[in-house]
Each structure stands twice: as structure tokens, then as C-alpha cells.
């Protein structure tokens, strides 16, 4: 078998697997371009008469529905939930990796918090937020989502800093550099791929979070995941599948674009430390 035939077979398999994996996305995109009547008579992924009516419907602002507000709230909360774990975990990860502080207790405790079901925090968190005035605010939503992202951020950053040669720290100390300078000018640039990975994973986790968005917001800070559910039966008479598909596609654009832009950093972080001499 020639090399060209092998390459052709390889690409055919790759395309087939990609289509199978992304079939739900293609089906949703297809439904978003159909009218309600066409969805009823043609449930397949092929569109006979494409229309943007569903997208026009969700972009209309009313007293009850405002997709721009939902997107803004999600963007603010997700940014807070992505940046804050980096700010908190980067110096902590350095202390754990370089000095061993909390390596036997704090580090495993924080990481294992991610395995706990989030619903157990629902009632105490609601009562605490109510007492301090953080209910129905993007800040309040972003803060709790930042806490959710702390374990993963700490795990990734500790492993990343462990891969930074300790000799670089020692050389900087000999030259008179303080710990703050070492963190910002030596360790930070080397760990940029890991930091990008933490940011994108934290952002996507926060963007897709539904439980806390439903529990902690009512009108002013409703995130996209919760707001999207409002469109499903917005027209009455059952679920409007075309409108539902359109709002799902719009809600997916931001994390998808961010993931594509940060892909190189993520892949570089994933293979970091895989080969050590």
C-alpha cells in the first residue's frame, strides 16, 4: 500500500471520528437554522430552507429576556473566576513546590475539595451571600466560581513550577533577587502555558456552571446558562426547539473562540514535563 493511500485512509478516519464526536454540535447548529415547521417534518441535520429567524428572535430584548445581559454577566463572572484562582494559587503553588509548605495537608485537602458535590454548599452559601449583599451580583457569582476553580488551578501550577529548574531560583538569589522578583521575572514567564491552561479551564468551568447561577441570581446577574433556559418555551406552547438551539449556539461561541485562541498554550502545558532528561 502506497504512502498516499495510507494518508488518505488516515484522513478519512480522522474526518469520520471528528464528525461522530461533533454530531451533537452539528445537529444543534442545523436545528437553529430551521423553522419550527421544518423541525417537525425534517428532524435530520440537513437544512432545506435555512433561516436566521431563530437568532433574530433571541436577540430581541424584552423585559423578561435579554441575552446581552446574560452574556455580560457570564463574561464578568467567568473572568473573575479565571483570574482570581491564578492570583491566589500562583504564590501558593510556589510555596508548595519549592518550600514544601502544606504539601502533606493543605495541598491534598484543597485538591480533594473538587471531588465534593457542590450542592452541599448551597444552603450555607445562600445564607452567607444574603447577609453580605452578594446575592444576584456578578461579583458574588464570580467569587464562588473562583473557589470552585481553586483546586484545579493549584494542581496544575504546582506541577508546572516543579518542572522549572531550581537552579534558576538559586542563580537569581545569588544575584540578589528577592522572592517577588523571582516569581514575576523567572518563574512566571516559564509557567505561562500552565497559567493559560488554568485560565481557559477555569473560564469554561465558570461559563458552563448552572447550579450556582440558578441559586444565587434572580434578575440582575443571571448568567448565560440560566438565561438560555428562559428561551426554551419563550413563545408558549411547549419547547421552541429552533430558538433553544440558537441560544445554545450563541452561548457556546465565547468558550469555543477562547479555546481556539489559547490552544497552543494548552497543548504546550499538557506535554510539559512529559520528557525529562
Amino acid at each position: 500500500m502506497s504512502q498516499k493511500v495510507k494518508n488518505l485512509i488516515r484522513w478519512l478516519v480522522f474526518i469520520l471520528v471528528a464528525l461522530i464526536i461533533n454530531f451533537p454540535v452539528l445537529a444543534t447548529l442545523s436545528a437553529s437554522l430551521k423553522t419550527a415547521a421544518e423541525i417537525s417534518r425534517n428532524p435530520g441535520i440537513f437544512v432545506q430552507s435555512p433561516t436566521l429567524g431563530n437568532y433574530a428572535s433571541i436577540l430581541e430584548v424584552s423585559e423578561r429576556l435579554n441575552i446581552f445581559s446574560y452574556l455580560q454577566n457570564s463574561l464578568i463572572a467567568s473572568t473573575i473566576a479565571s483570574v482570581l484562582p491564578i492570583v491566589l494559587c500562583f504564590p501558593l503553588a510556589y510555596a508548595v513546590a519549592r518550600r514544601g509548605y502544606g504539601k502533606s495537608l493543605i495541598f491534598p485537602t484543597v485538591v480533594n475539595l473538587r471531588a465534593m458535590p457542590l450542592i452541599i454548599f448551597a444552603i450555607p452559601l445562600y445564607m452567607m451571600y444574603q447577609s453580605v449583599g452578594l446575592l444576584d451580583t456578578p461579583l458574588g457569582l464570580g467569587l464562588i466560581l473562583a473557589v470552585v476553580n481553586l483546586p484545579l488551578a493549584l494542581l496544575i501550577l504546582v506541577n508546572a513550577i516543579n518542572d522549572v529548574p531550581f537552579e534558576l531560583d538559586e542563580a537569581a538569589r545569588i544575584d540578589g533577587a528577592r522572592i517577588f522578583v523571582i516569581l514575576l521575572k523567572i518563574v512566571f514567564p516559564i509557567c505561562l502555558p500552565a497559567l493559560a491552561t488554568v485560565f481557559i479551564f477555569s473560564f469554561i468551568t465558570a461559563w458552563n456552571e448552572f447550579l450556582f447561577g440558578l441559586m444565587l441570581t434572580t434578575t440582575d446577574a443571571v448568567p448565560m446558562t440560566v438565561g438560555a433556559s428562559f428561551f426554551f418555551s419563550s413563545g408558549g406552547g411547549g419547547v421552541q426547539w429552533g430558538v433553544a438551539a440558537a441560544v445554545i449556539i450563541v452561548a457556546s461561541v465565547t468558550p469555543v473562540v477562547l479555546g481556539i485562541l489559547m490552544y497552543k498554550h494548552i497543548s504546550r502545558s499538557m506535554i510539559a514535563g512529559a520528557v525529562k532528561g
Side-chain angles (χ1 to χ4, degrees):
M1 186 181 295
S2 66
Q3 187 62 36
K4 288 185 177 180
V5 175
K6 289 182 180 179
N7 289 337
L8 178 61
I9 294 175
R10 188 180 294 115
W11 275 105
L12 289 175
V13 171
F14 173 78
I15 293 172
L16 179 61
V17 172
L19 288 175
I20 293 174
I21 293 175
N22 291 286
F23 182 79
V25 178
L26 296 176
T28 303
L29 179 61
S30 170
S32 71
L33 298 173
K34 297 179 182 178
T35 62
E38 184 175 350
I39 291 176
S40 299
R41 69 172 185 270
N42 174 30
I45 64 171
F46 297 104
V47 184
Q48 297 175 350
S49 303
T51 177
L52 295 177
N54 294 319
Y55 290 95
S57 176
I58 65 174
L59 293 178
E60 291 180 3
V61 177
S62 65
E63 292 184 3
R64 179 171 175 265
L65 302 172
N66 187 345
I67 193 171
F68 301 105
S69 176
Y70 306 151
L71 288 170
Q72 176 181 303
N73 293 333
S74 283
L75 184 61
I76 294 173
S78 298
T79 302
I80 294 172
S82 305
V83 174
L84 193 57
I86 293 176
V87 173
L88 295 177
C89 289
F90 186 63
L92 177 58
Y94 184 86
V96 173
R98 287 291 193 257
R99 305 294 177 85
Y101 296 151
K103 200 166 188 177
S104 60
L105 181 61
I106 297 178
F107 180 58
T109 300
V110 172
V111 172
N112 286 329
L113 282 175
R114 194 64 181 89
M116 298 180 66
L118 299 178
I119 192 65
I120 65 174
F121 302 107
I123 295 177
L125 188 63
Y126 184 90
M127 295 174 64
M128 182 181 71
Y129 267 43
Q130 191 174 37
S131 64
V132 297
L134 285 175
L135 277 179
D136 202 24
T137 63
L139 174 61
L141 183 59
L143 288 176
I144 187 56
L145 294 178
V147 173
V148 171
N149 288 325
L150 285 177
L152 179 63
L154 183 61
L155 180 63
I156 293 176
L157 292 178
V158 167
N159 291 330
I161 294 175
N162 276 330
D163 290 332
V164 178
F166 187 66
E167 291 77 11
L168 295 177
D169 296 37
E170 291 181 331
R173 287 195 186 93
I174 293 173
D175 291 338
R178 295 182 178 274
I179 186 67
F180 186 74
V181 175
I182 295 174
L183 270 174
L184 286 186
K185 294 192 175 181
I186 297 177
V187 181
F188 185 84
I190 298 175
C191 291
L192 273 178
L195 292 167
T197 301
V198 170
F199 181 85
I200 184 62
F201 283 172
S202 298
F203 190 95
I204 292 175
T205 298
W207 187 276
N208 293 334
E209 174 61 37
F210 182 83
L211 173 63
F212 288 122
L214 181 65
M215 183 181 69
L216 300 176
T217 65
T218 52
T219 54
D220 295 335
V222 175
M224 191 63 214
T225 47
V226 178
S229 64
F230 298 162
F231 289 90
F232 284 22
S233 57
S234 58
V239 178
Q240 307 295 314
W241 294 111
V243 174
V247 76
I248 290 172
I249 293 297
V250 171
S252 304
V253 169
T254 301
V256 168
V257 170
L258 188 60
I260 292 174
L261 293 176
M262 306 287 276
Y263 171 75
K264 289 185 178 179
H265 293 291
I266 295 174
S267 60
R268 200 178 307 159
S269 174
M270 291 296 99
I271 63 175
V275 178
K276 285 191 176 182

